[in-house]
PDB file of all heavy atoms in Angstrom:
ATOM      1  N   HIS A   1     120.925 101.283 115.831  1.00  0.00           N
ATOM      2  CA  HIS A   1     121.803 102.429 115.589  1.00  0.00           C
ATOM      3  C   HIS A   1     123.227 101.933 115.352  1.00  0.00           C
ATOM      4  O   HIS A   1     123.797 101.218 116.188  1.00  0.00           O
ATOM      5  CB  HIS A   1     121.768 103.386 116.784  1.00  0.00           C
ATOM      6  CG  HIS A   1     122.334 104.735 116.461  1.00  0.00           C
ATOM      7  ND1 HIS A   1     123.690 104.971 116.397  1.00  0.00           N
ATOM      8  CD2 HIS A   1     121.720 105.921 116.173  1.00  0.00           C
ATOM      9  CE1 HIS A   1     123.896 106.244 116.098  1.00  0.00           C
ATOM     10  NE2 HIS A   1     122.716 106.845 115.962  1.00  0.00           N
ATOM     11  N   PRO A   2     123.849 102.290 114.204  1.00  0.00           N
ATOM     12  CA  PRO A   2     125.164 101.750 113.858  1.00  0.00           C
ATOM     13  C   PRO A   2     126.294 102.248 114.755  1.00  0.00           C
ATOM     14  O   PRO A   2     127.342 101.608 114.813  1.00  0.00           O
ATOM     15  CB  PRO A   2     125.365 102.213 112.408  1.00  0.00           C
ATOM     16  CG  PRO A   2     124.482 103.414 112.278  1.00  0.00           C
ATOM     17  CD  PRO A   2     123.309 103.168 113.166  1.00  0.00           C
ATOM     18  N   VAL A   3     126.100 103.383 115.429  1.00  0.00           N
ATOM     19  CA  VAL A   3     127.151 103.915 116.303  1.00  0.00           C
ATOM     20  C   VAL A   3     126.928 103.471 117.743  1.00  0.00           C
ATOM     21  O   VAL A   3     127.839 102.983 118.421  1.00  0.00           O
ATOM     22  CB  VAL A   3     127.207 105.453 116.217  1.00  0.00           C
ATOM     23  CG1 VAL A   3     128.251 105.993 117.198  1.00  0.00           C
ATOM     24  CG2 VAL A   3     127.538 105.893 114.794  1.00  0.00           C
ATOM     25  N   LEU A   4     125.678 103.627 118.243  1.00  0.00           N
ATOM     26  CA  LEU A   4     125.372 103.272 119.631  1.00  0.00           C
ATOM     27  C   LEU A   4     125.220 101.769 119.828  1.00  0.00           C
ATOM     28  O   LEU A   4     125.223 101.279 120.967  1.00  0.00           O
ATOM     29  CB  LEU A   4     124.081 103.977 120.075  1.00  0.00           C
ATOM     30  CG  LEU A   4     124.133 105.518 120.037  1.00  0.00           C
ATOM     31  CD1 LEU A   4     122.786 106.083 120.435  1.00  0.00           C
ATOM     32  CD2 LEU A   4     125.233 106.033 120.966  1.00  0.00           C
ATOM     33  N   LYS A   5     125.041 101.018 118.727  1.00  0.00           N
ATOM     34  CA  LYS A   5     124.929  99.554 118.780  1.00  0.00           C
ATOM     35  C   LYS A   5     123.722  99.095 119.608  1.00  0.00           C
ATOM     36  O   LYS A   5     123.793  98.118 120.356  1.00  0.00           O
ATOM     37  CB  LYS A   5     126.219  98.914 119.333  1.00  0.00           C
ATOM     38  CG  LYS A   5     127.484  99.290 118.586  1.00  0.00           C
ATOM     39  CD  LYS A   5     127.445  98.877 117.128  1.00  0.00           C
ATOM     40  CE  LYS A   5     128.743  99.213 116.406  1.00  0.00           C
ATOM     41  NZ  LYS A   5     128.679  98.882 114.969  1.00  0.00           N
ATOM     42  N   ARG A   6     122.634  99.824 119.479  1.00  0.00           N
ATOM     43  CA  ARG A   6     121.407  99.405 120.146  1.00  0.00           C
ATOM     44  C   ARG A   6     120.204  99.876 119.331  1.00  0.00           C
ATOM     45  O   ARG A   6     120.321 100.775 118.499  1.00  0.00           O
ATOM     46  CB  ARG A   6     121.334  99.948 121.584  1.00  0.00           C
ATOM     47  CG  ARG A   6     121.387 101.460 121.714  1.00  0.00           C
ATOM     48  CD  ARG A   6     121.468 101.847 123.183  1.00  0.00           C
ATOM     49  NE  ARG A   6     121.642 103.275 123.364  1.00  0.00           N
ATOM     50  CZ  ARG A   6     120.657 104.158 123.451  1.00  0.00           C
ATOM     51  NH1 ARG A   6     119.396 103.741 123.338  1.00  0.00           N
ATOM     52  NH2 ARG A   6     120.907 105.439 123.646  1.00  0.00           N
ATOM     53  N   THR A   7     119.061  99.235 119.602  1.00  0.00           N
ATOM     54  CA  THR A   7     117.857  99.558 118.851  1.00  0.00           C
ATOM     55  C   THR A   7     117.135 100.750 119.490  1.00  0.00           C
ATOM     56  O   THR A   7     116.948 100.785 120.712  1.00  0.00           O
ATOM     57  CB  THR A   7     116.905  98.349 118.818  1.00  0.00           C
ATOM     58  OG1 THR A   7     117.579  97.253 118.193  1.00  0.00           O
ATOM     59  CG2 THR A   7     115.643  98.684 118.030  1.00  0.00           C
ATOM     60  N   ARG A   8     116.775 101.697 118.638  1.00  0.00           N
ATOM     61  CA  ARG A   8     116.029 102.859 119.110  1.00  0.00           C
ATOM     62  C   ARG A   8     115.307 103.472 117.922  1.00  0.00           C
ATOM     63  O   ARG A   8     115.619 103.152 116.763  1.00  0.00           O
ATOM     64  CB  ARG A   8     116.938 103.864 119.796  1.00  0.00           C
ATOM     65  CG  ARG A   8     117.898 104.592 118.872  1.00  0.00           C
ATOM     66  CD  ARG A   8     118.679 105.621 119.651  1.00  0.00           C
ATOM     67  NE  ARG A   8     119.185 106.675 118.800  1.00  0.00           N
ATOM     68  CZ  ARG A   8     119.740 107.792 119.256  1.00  0.00           C
ATOM     69  NH1 ARG A   8     119.867 107.979 120.557  1.00  0.00           N
ATOM     70  NH2 ARG A   8     120.168 108.708 118.429  1.00  0.00           N
ATOM     71  N   PRO A   9     114.337 104.374 118.151  1.00  0.00           N
ATOM     72  CA  PRO A   9     113.596 104.967 117.026  1.00  0.00           C
ATOM     73  C   PRO A   9     114.505 105.785 116.111  1.00  0.00           C
ATOM     74  O   PRO A   9     115.477 106.401 116.566  1.00  0.00           O
ATOM     75  CB  PRO A   9     112.571 105.857 117.725  1.00  0.00           C
ATOM     76  CG  PRO A   9     112.436 105.312 119.092  1.00  0.00           C
ATOM     77  CD  PRO A   9     113.798 104.793 119.452  1.00  0.00           C
ATOM     78  N   HIS A  10     114.191 105.759 114.845  1.00  0.00           N
ATOM     79  CA  HIS A  10     114.867 106.616 113.863  1.00  0.00           C
ATOM     80  C   HIS A  10     113.837 107.640 113.382  1.00  0.00           C
ATOM     81  O   HIS A  10     113.032 107.373 112.495  1.00  0.00           O
ATOM     82  CB  HIS A  10     115.401 105.784 112.689  1.00  0.00           C
ATOM     83  CG  HIS A  10     116.234 106.581 111.737  1.00  0.00           C
ATOM     84  ND1 HIS A  10     115.877 106.780 110.417  1.00  0.00           N
ATOM     85  CD2 HIS A  10     117.407 107.240 111.920  1.00  0.00           C
ATOM     86  CE1 HIS A  10     116.814 107.517 109.825  1.00  0.00           C
ATOM     87  NE2 HIS A  10     117.745 107.813 110.718  1.00  0.00           N
ATOM     88  N   ASN A  11     113.864 108.794 114.044  1.00  0.00           N
ATOM     89  CA  ASN A  11     112.808 109.788 113.844  1.00  0.00           C
ATOM     90  C   ASN A  11     113.085 110.701 112.651  1.00  0.00           C
ATOM     91  O   ASN A  11     113.152 111.932 112.793  1.00  0.00           O
ATOM     92  CB  ASN A  11     112.637 110.620 115.120  1.00  0.00           C
ATOM     93  CG  ASN A  11     112.201 109.780 116.300  1.00  0.00           C
ATOM     94  OD1 ASN A  11     111.324 108.934 116.162  1.00  0.00           O
ATOM     95  ND2 ASN A  11     112.830 109.986 117.448  1.00  0.00           N
ATOM     96  N   GLY A  12     113.264 110.114 111.515  1.00  0.00           N
ATOM     97  CA  GLY A  12     113.506 110.904 110.323  1.00  0.00           C
ATOM     98  C   GLY A  12     113.929 110.036 109.161  1.00  0.00           C
ATOM     99  O   GLY A  12     113.844 108.804 109.207  1.00  0.00           O
ATOM    100  N   VAL A  13     114.411 110.697 108.121  1.00  0.00           N
ATOM    101  CA  VAL A  13     114.869 110.004 106.921  1.00  0.00           C
ATOM    102  C   VAL A  13     116.306 110.445 106.639  1.00  0.00           C
ATOM    103  O   VAL A  13     116.630 111.629 106.738  1.00  0.00           O
ATOM    104  CB  VAL A  13     113.968 110.345 105.711  1.00  0.00           C
ATOM    105  CG1 VAL A  13     114.535 109.746 104.431  1.00  0.00           C
ATOM    106  CG2 VAL A  13     112.553 109.853 105.949  1.00  0.00           C
ATOM    107  N   ASP A  14     117.161 109.488 106.319  1.00  0.00           N
ATOM    108  CA  ASP A  14     118.552 109.792 105.976  1.00  0.00           C
ATOM    109  C   ASP A  14     118.718 109.832 104.460  1.00  0.00           C
ATOM    110  O   ASP A  14     118.293 108.909 103.753  1.00  0.00           O
ATOM    111  CB  ASP A  14     119.494 108.739 106.558  1.00  0.00           C
ATOM    112  CG  ASP A  14     119.591 108.826 108.071  1.00  0.00           C
ATOM    113  OD1 ASP A  14     119.133 109.843 108.627  1.00  0.00           O
ATOM    114  OD2 ASP A  14     120.122 107.886 108.687  1.00  0.00           O
ATOM    115  N   PHE A  15     119.365 110.897 103.997  1.00  0.00           N
ATOM    116  CA  PHE A  15     119.672 111.047 102.574  1.00  0.00           C
ATOM    117  C   PHE A  15     121.181 110.951 102.403  1.00  0.00           C
ATOM    118  O   PHE A  15     121.925 111.783 102.936  1.00  0.00           O
ATOM    119  CB  PHE A  15     119.175 112.397 102.049  1.00  0.00           C
ATOM    120  CG  PHE A  15     117.682 112.548 102.047  1.00  0.00           C
ATOM    121  CD1 PHE A  15     117.015 113.018 103.164  1.00  0.00           C
ATOM    122  CD2 PHE A  15     116.943 112.224 100.921  1.00  0.00           C
ATOM    123  CE1 PHE A  15     115.640 113.177 103.169  1.00  0.00           C
ATOM    124  CE2 PHE A  15     115.567 112.373 100.909  1.00  0.00           C
ATOM    125  CZ  PHE A  15     114.915 112.842 102.039  1.00  0.00           C
ATOM    126  N   ALA A  16     121.641 109.940 101.681  1.00  0.00           N
ATOM    127  CA  ALA A  16     123.081 109.781 101.429  1.00  0.00           C
ATOM    128  C   ALA A  16     123.512 110.756 100.342  1.00  0.00           C
ATOM    129  O   ALA A  16     122.883 110.840  99.289  1.00  0.00           O
ATOM    130  CB  ALA A  16     123.392 108.352 101.013  1.00  0.00           C
ATOM    131  N   ALA A  17     124.579 111.490 100.620  1.00  0.00           N
ATOM    132  CA  ALA A  17     125.092 112.465  99.656  1.00  0.00           C
ATOM    133  C   ALA A  17     126.520 112.836 100.040  1.00  0.00           C
ATOM    134  O   ALA A  17     126.901 112.711 101.208  1.00  0.00           O
ATOM    135  CB  ALA A  17     124.212 113.712  99.624  1.00  0.00           C
ATOM    136  N   PRO A  18     127.331 113.290  99.097  1.00  0.00           N
ATOM    137  CA  PRO A  18     128.717 113.667  99.403  1.00  0.00           C
ATOM    138  C   PRO A  18     128.777 114.871 100.337  1.00  0.00           C
ATOM    139  O   PRO A  18     127.865 115.704 100.372  1.00  0.00           O
ATOM    140  CB  PRO A  18     129.303 114.013  98.018  1.00  0.00           C
ATOM    141  CG  PRO A  18     128.396 113.379  97.033  1.00  0.00           C
ATOM    142  CD  PRO A  18     127.039 113.379  97.650  1.00  0.00           C
ATOM    143  N   ILE A  19     129.864 114.957 101.088  1.00  0.00           N
ATOM    144  CA  ILE A  19     130.084 116.125 101.945  1.00  0.00           C
ATOM    145  C   ILE A  19     130.093 117.386 101.084  1.00  0.00           C
ATOM    146  O   ILE A  19     130.719 117.438 100.029  1.00  0.00           O
ATOM    147  CB  ILE A  19     131.411 115.996 102.710  1.00  0.00           C
ATOM    148  CG1 ILE A  19     131.302 114.894 103.761  1.00  0.00           C
ATOM    149  CG2 ILE A  19     131.799 117.317 103.373  1.00  0.00           C
ATOM    150  CD1 ILE A  19     132.573 114.666 104.549  1.00  0.00           C
ATOM    151  N   GLY A  20     129.399 118.415 101.556  1.00  0.00           N
ATOM    152  CA  GLY A  20     129.340 119.686 100.838  1.00  0.00           C
ATOM    153  C   GLY A  20     128.108 119.862  99.981  1.00  0.00           C
ATOM    154  O   GLY A  20     127.867 120.951  99.460  1.00  0.00           O
ATOM    155  N   THR A  21     127.299 118.792  99.800  1.00  0.00           N
ATOM    156  CA  THR A  21     126.071 118.902  99.014  1.00  0.00           C
ATOM    157  C   THR A  21     125.134 119.915  99.674  1.00  0.00           C
ATOM    158  O   THR A  21     124.868 119.825 100.868  1.00  0.00           O
ATOM    159  CB  THR A  21     125.364 117.541  98.901  1.00  0.00           C
ATOM    160  OG1 THR A  21     126.252 116.596  98.305  1.00  0.00           O
ATOM    161  CG2 THR A  21     124.097 117.655  98.071  1.00  0.00           C
ATOM    162  N   PRO A  22     124.615 120.894  98.932  1.00  0.00           N
ATOM    163  CA  PRO A  22     123.755 121.912  99.537  1.00  0.00           C
ATOM    164  C   PRO A  22     122.475 121.315 100.136  1.00  0.00           C
ATOM    165  O   PRO A  22     121.853 120.432  99.543  1.00  0.00           O
ATOM    166  CB  PRO A  22     123.421 122.845  98.365  1.00  0.00           C
ATOM    167  CG  PRO A  22     124.515 122.625  97.376  1.00  0.00           C
ATOM    168  CD  PRO A  22     124.882 121.175  97.513  1.00  0.00           C
ATOM    169  N   VAL A  23     122.105 121.810 101.304  1.00  0.00           N
ATOM    170  CA  VAL A  23     120.867 121.427 101.977  1.00  0.00           C
ATOM    171  C   VAL A  23     119.941 122.644 101.966  1.00  0.00           C
ATOM    172  O   VAL A  23     120.364 123.746 102.267  1.00  0.00           O
ATOM    173  CB  VAL A  23     121.144 120.989 103.433  1.00  0.00           C
ATOM    174  CG1 VAL A  23     119.836 120.688 104.164  1.00  0.00           C
ATOM    175  CG2 VAL A  23     122.078 119.787 103.460  1.00  0.00           C
ATOM    176  N   ARG A  24     118.677 122.442 101.636  1.00  0.00           N
ATOM    177  CA  ARG A  24     117.742 123.555 101.495  1.00  0.00           C
ATOM    178  C   ARG A  24     116.556 123.412 102.448  1.00  0.00           C
ATOM    179  O   ARG A  24     116.147 122.303 102.811  1.00  0.00           O
ATOM    180  CB  ARG A  24     117.240 123.622 100.055  1.00  0.00           C
ATOM    181  CG  ARG A  24     116.639 122.328  99.568  1.00  0.00           C
ATOM    182  CD  ARG A  24     116.343 122.320  98.095  1.00  0.00           C
ATOM    183  NE  ARG A  24     115.700 121.083  97.692  1.00  0.00           N
ATOM    184  CZ  ARG A  24     115.129 120.893  96.515  1.00  0.00           C
ATOM    185  NH1 ARG A  24     115.112 121.860  95.620  1.00  0.00           N
ATOM    186  NH2 ARG A  24     114.571 119.748  96.218  1.00  0.00           N
ATOM    187  N   ALA A  25     116.032 124.542 102.854  1.00  0.00           N
ATOM    188  CA  ALA A  25     114.827 124.554 103.676  1.00  0.00           C
ATOM    189  C   ALA A  25     113.651 124.103 102.823  1.00  0.00           C
ATOM    190  O   ALA A  25     113.500 124.546 101.681  1.00  0.00           O
ATOM    191  CB  ALA A  25     114.578 125.955 104.218  1.00  0.00           C
ATOM    192  N   VAL A  26     112.797 123.240 103.371  1.00  0.00           N
ATOM    193  CA  VAL A  26     111.686 122.726 102.578  1.00  0.00           C
ATOM    194  C   VAL A  26     110.514 123.696 102.528  1.00  0.00           C
ATOM    195  O   VAL A  26     109.580 123.504 101.743  1.00  0.00           O
ATOM    196  CB  VAL A  26     111.199 121.361 103.117  1.00  0.00           C
ATOM    197  CG1 VAL A  26     112.296 120.319 103.008  1.00  0.00           C
ATOM    198  CG2 VAL A  26     110.686 121.485 104.543  1.00  0.00           C
ATOM    199  N   GLY A  27     110.555 124.734 103.357  1.00  0.00           N
ATOM    200  CA  GLY A  27     109.472 125.713 103.338  1.00  0.00           C
ATOM    201  C   GLY A  27     109.884 126.998 104.030  1.00  0.00           C
ATOM    202  O   GLY A  27     110.936 127.062 104.693  1.00  0.00           O
ATOM    203  N   ASP A  28     109.071 128.046 103.881  1.00  0.00           N
ATOM    204  CA  ASP A  28     109.334 129.302 104.569  1.00  0.00           C
ATOM    205  C   ASP A  28     109.231 129.096 106.076  1.00  0.00           C
ATOM    206  O   ASP A  28     108.406 128.299 106.557  1.00  0.00           O
ATOM    207  CB  ASP A  28     108.320 130.366 104.152  1.00  0.00           C
ATOM    208  CG  ASP A  28     108.418 130.714 102.669  1.00  0.00           C
ATOM    209  OD1 ASP A  28     109.361 130.223 102.015  1.00  0.00           O
ATOM    210  OD2 ASP A  28     107.559 131.455 102.171  1.00  0.00           O
ATOM    211  N   GLY A  29     110.032 129.806 106.842  1.00  0.00           N
ATOM    212  CA  GLY A  29     109.934 129.664 108.289  1.00  0.00           C
ATOM    213  C   GLY A  29     110.943 130.495 109.040  1.00  0.00           C
ATOM    214  O   GLY A  29     111.682 131.305 108.468  1.00  0.00           O
ATOM    215  N   ILE A  30     110.971 130.296 110.376  1.00  0.00           N
ATOM    216  CA  ILE A  30     111.873 130.999 111.272  1.00  0.00           C
ATOM    217  C   ILE A  30     112.862 130.002 111.863  1.00  0.00           C
ATOM    218  O   ILE A  30     112.471 128.924 112.344  1.00  0.00           O
ATOM    219  CB  ILE A  30     111.096 131.688 112.425  1.00  0.00           C
ATOM    220  CG1 ILE A  30     110.028 132.628 111.867  1.00  0.00           C
ATOM    221  CG2 ILE A  30     112.056 132.440 113.337  1.00  0.00           C
ATOM    222  CD1 ILE A  30     110.578 133.803 111.100  1.00  0.00           C
ATOM    223  N   VAL A  31     114.160 130.354 111.819  1.00  0.00           N
ATOM    224  CA  VAL A  31     115.196 129.484 112.368  1.00  0.00           C
ATOM    225  C   VAL A  31     115.114 129.498 113.892  1.00  0.00           C
ATOM    226  O   VAL A  31     115.113 130.562 114.516  1.00  0.00           O
ATOM    227  CB  VAL A  31     116.597 129.938 111.906  1.00  0.00           C
ATOM    228  CG1 VAL A  31     117.681 129.060 112.538  1.00  0.00           C
ATOM    229  CG2 VAL A  31     116.701 129.895 110.384  1.00  0.00           C
ATOM    230  N   ARG A  32     115.042 128.306 114.504  1.00  0.00           N
ATOM    231  CA  ARG A  32     115.014 128.183 115.961  1.00  0.00           C
ATOM    232  C   ARG A  32     116.355 127.729 116.515  1.00  0.00           C
ATOM    233  O   ARG A  32     116.772 128.170 117.586  1.00  0.00           O
ATOM    234  CB  ARG A  32     113.915 127.193 116.387  1.00  0.00           C
ATOM    235  CG  ARG A  32     112.516 127.610 115.979  1.00  0.00           C
ATOM    236  CD  ARG A  32     112.169 128.995 116.492  1.00  0.00           C
ATOM    237  NE  ARG A  32     110.818 129.416 116.108  1.00  0.00           N
ATOM    238  CZ  ARG A  32     110.378 130.670 116.205  1.00  0.00           C
ATOM    239  NH1 ARG A  32     111.193 131.617 116.670  1.00  0.00           N
ATOM    240  NH2 ARG A  32     109.152 130.965 115.834  1.00  0.00           N
ATOM    241  N   ILE A  33     117.018 126.816 115.813  1.00  0.00           N
ATOM    242  CA  ILE A  33     118.333 126.314 116.237  1.00  0.00           C
ATOM    243  C   ILE A  33     119.267 126.351 115.027  1.00  0.00           C
ATOM    244  O   ILE A  33     118.883 125.953 113.927  1.00  0.00           O
ATOM    245  CB  ILE A  33     118.237 124.878 116.784  1.00  0.00           C
ATOM    246  CG1 ILE A  33     117.315 124.813 118.011  1.00  0.00           C
ATOM    247  CG2 ILE A  33     119.630 124.345 117.139  1.00  0.00           C
ATOM    248  CD1 ILE A  33     117.071 123.391 118.504  1.00  0.00           C
TER     249      ILE A  33
END
């Protein structure tokens, strides 16, 4: 982890993009958080 400076799981995928790039839901669903 580049901030915590220790090894731990990376439970996802990071997409590099400029601030403000729209993020979309990948499917129909109910917002929990």
Side-chain angles (χ1 to χ4, degrees):
H1 196 282
V3 177
L4 299 177
K5 305 300 182 183
R6 59 187 175 88
T7 300
R8 70 176 203 170
H10 187 243
N11 298 316
V13 174
D14 290 347
F15 294 88
I19 290 179
T21 302
V23 176
R24 55 189 183 168
V26 297
D28 296 353
I30 304 295
V31 177
R32 299 305 180 194
I33 299 174

